[in-house]
Every structure is written in C-alpha cells, then in structure tokens.
Amino acid sequence: MPQLKPGEISMGTTIMAVQFDGGVVLGADSRTSSGTYVSNRVSDKLTKVHDRIYCCRSGSAADTQAVADVVKYHLALYTAQHGEEPTVKVAASLFQQICYDNKDNLMAGIIVAGWDKVDGASVYEIPLGGSIHKLPFTLAGSGSTFIYGYCDKLFRPDMTKDECIEFVKNSVSLAISRDGSSGGVIRVAAITEDGVERQVVHGNNLPQQFLG
C-alpha cells in the first residue's frame, strides 16, 4: 500500500455519508494535519464534483484533491457530450477507476454520495486499494474507528433528513472527541432533488460528549 511521502499532508479525518428516502447527508470534520502539526483547522473535506454529487476526502490531501479535480472535469465533459447529468454511479465509477489504476501511488479513501434522476439517492465508498461498495451509510478516516459501533447501533434505514443530519453531527462530534487527528468544525451537506443544503457546526456548538 502507498505511504505518505516526506512533507506530504494527511487529512487525518472523520468523514461519513448517510442515505435517506429522497437524498443523502454527508459530514466531515475540518482538521488537516501533518504529523502532530495541524496545518489547517477549517478545511472543507466535502468537495462538489457535480450539481448534486459530492465526495468526502480522506488520506493525502494532495492526492484526493487531484483525483476530485480530474473527476469533476470528466463529469463536466460527460454532461456536454451526453446532454444529461451524470448519475452518482458514474461519478463513483470514475473515482474507483482512477484509485484502482493508481493504487500503488495514491493514498485516497473517498466517499461519493448524491442524488440523480435514475437511481435517486445513493452512497458509494472507495477505500484504499480502489474497490467500490454501494452502502446505505458509510464511514472513513482515522476517526471512523471510534464510532463504528455507535453508528451500527443507531442507524435506521427509515430516518428523515433532519434525523440523518443529527445522526451525522453526533457521530462526527464523537469521533472528534476521541481522535486526535480529527477536529475543528463539522461541515454537513444534505443533497436532495431540490439541491444542496450546507451547514457548519462551530466548535462551541458541537454536541457535548463525555470525556471522562
């Protein structure tokens, strides 16, 4: 598996996406770290690649930004050539192909989620190595290991948009409280047929967790 190169910046992150009837909710912390040094405390790890398709990025900041830029270009080209919006599956397949073809050189764990007219809401995970998995919800990043049990216990497939937003906020805040590489604010994006709704939860408004 690839390793970070000397001086390369790691996201050291918590990212997640949850599907509900009619849309998806994505969430992430905002800390970008280089070893023990926090290089950016308010980075945006929710990246728009098309009108209703976003990705969450973990791993090398440089690698994931470059891959997202390439996918964004190809999706714009797809729209121009076909005269229609790409599906989330098309976007996820592009991410997967790039990550798999360059698996020895990239450190990129990516979640792709959004809404399209063909499949509705969908969530895909592309972990290190370039495999692809369609899931009702997924987590990634260093902080995800602290909250898998919490999310497995509380996730319900019949949650509303507001319930999903609160689920994401609570989950990411739990990861922030335990993972030294996750921190800052929580950024949330709710994507439906009507568009994208963005939220930022600042540090003083994060859900409070027991810290012992």
Side-chain angles (χ1 to χ4, degrees):
M1 297 299 291
Q3 300 293 322
L4 286 176
K5 293 173 270 300
E8 193 170 16
I9 304 299
S10 168
M11 299 293 276
T13 184
T14 302
I15 55 176
M16 67 182 298
V18 186
Q19 178 184 331
F20 65 91
D21 185 19
V24 296
V25 175
L26 301 89
D29 74 307
S30 65
R31 177 174 293 178
T32 299
S33 53
S34 179
T36 57
Y37 174 72
V38 177
S39 55
N40 187 348
R41 61 191 178 92
V42 287
S43 60
D44 189 355
K45 301 174 187 178
L46 308 182
T47 303
K48 178 181 178 181
V49 292
H50 207 267
D51 292 345
R52 295 184 187 85
I53 306 173
Y54 275 63
C55 73
C56 305
R57 302 177 294 109
S58 68
S60 161
D63 288 352
T64 56
Q65 285 171 3
V67 172
D69 286 344
V70 171
V71 170
K72 185 176 182 179
Y73 165 78
H74 281 290
L75 293 180
L77 198 63
Y78 178 99
T79 303
Q81 289 178 335
H82 295 271
E84 62 183 21
E85 294 186 348
T87 62
V88 181
K89 185 177 183 179
V90 166
S93 297
L94 279 169
F95 273 107
Q96 185 268 335
Q97 190 69 52
I98 294 169
C99 291
Y100 180 77
D101 289 346
N102 300 279
K103 60 182 177 293
D104 295 328
N105 301 307
L106 292 177
M107 180 170 278
I110 294 170
I111 296 172
V112 184
W115 185 93
D116 62 72
K117 294 179 180 178
V118 177
D119 301 315
S122 48
V123 173
Y124 292 86
E125 180 184 12
I126 299 99
L128 291 174
S131 59
I132 186 168
H133 312 273
K134 188 175 189 295
L135 300 161
F137 84 97
T138 188
L139 320 168
S142 58
S144 66
T145 57
F146 295 92
I147 57 172
Y148 266 107
Y150 174 84
C151 293
D152 288 342
K153 178 69 174 178
L154 293 187
F155 171 76
R156 302 192 328 271
D158 60 345
M159 286 194 291
T160 64
K161 182 178 82 169
D162 289 339
E163 287 174 331
C164 283
I165 290 173
E166 288 306 308
F167 175 58
V168 168
K169 288 179 181 177
N170 283 318
S171 299
V172 177
S173 70
L174 271 169
I176 286 174
S177 70
R178 292 292 180 182
D179 177 31
S181 297
S182 299
V185 304
I186 297 176
R187 299 188 187 275
V188 178
I191 306 174
T192 64
E193 182 179 4
D194 298 326
V196 182
E197 175 189 330
R198 295 289 303 258
Q199 294 183 25
V200 178
V201 184
H202 296 283
N204 58 328
N205 294 321
L206 292 177
Q208 295 298 307
Q209 311 297 342
F210 174 72
L211 296 178

